[in-house]
Amino acid sequence: MTAVPAPGLPEQPRRPVTWREALDRLEAHADRAEQLIRGHAAPDEPPWAPPTDLGPIPDEFVPRARQLLARQQRLMAAIPALLSDKHHQRRVADRVADATSTPAHPVYLDITA
């Protein structure tokens, strides 16, 4: 029997059963982050959770894990500049909107009050 999440609650991710699966999922999340940074919509995925019950990472997966760590560090380093740029774009758009729009005026005045 499969557990069904309550309506409105996020789906809990299925725990990875191997280190290969855990790294595959982490790589998919990095792919999604890169798509978002490039401005492309990415499919929603359940949140990644680090494995706690797989034991130490096997030596054969250490190089891949190091590459993923470096990739994540590059993605994290890109976020502040991206947010700053978005904030700047919003400030400029707000100034343009303020300069080009006319203030709203009431359509009629209720003089019976």
Side-chain angles (χ1 to χ4, degrees), residues 11-113:
E11 179 182 331
Q12 292 298 319
R14 186 179 61 78
R15 303 291 299 167
V17 294
T18 65
W19 272 106
R20 182 181 312 277
E21 183 181 356
L23 293 175
D24 286 348
R25 288 186 189 184
L26 185 56
E27 192 166 26
H29 280 270
D31 292 343
R32 181 174 184 262
E34 287 174 344
Q35 290 175 4
L36 290 171
I37 285 175
R38 285 189 226 113
H40 303 290
D44 286 336
E45 296 177 16
W48 186 83
T52 57
D53 54 354
L54 296 180
I57 188 167
D59 291 341
E60 67 183 285
F61 293 119
V62 171
R64 183 177 177 199
R66 285 190 175 134
Q67 288 174 338
L68 278 168
L69 175 61
R71 186 176 173 195
Q72 287 180 313
Q73 289 170 335
R74 287 190 302 272
L75 288 166
M76 288 187 295
I79 290 172
L82 183 68
L83 292 174
S84 176
D85 186 49
K86 295 292 184 193
H87 179 71
H88 176 73
Q89 288 177 9
R90 182 176 179 125
R91 284 196 340 246
V92 169
D94 288 345
R95 285 190 209 142
V96 169
D98 289 345
T100 59
S101 63
T102 56
H105 296 286
V107 175
Y108 69 94
L109 179 63
D110 184 0
I111 57 173
T112 62

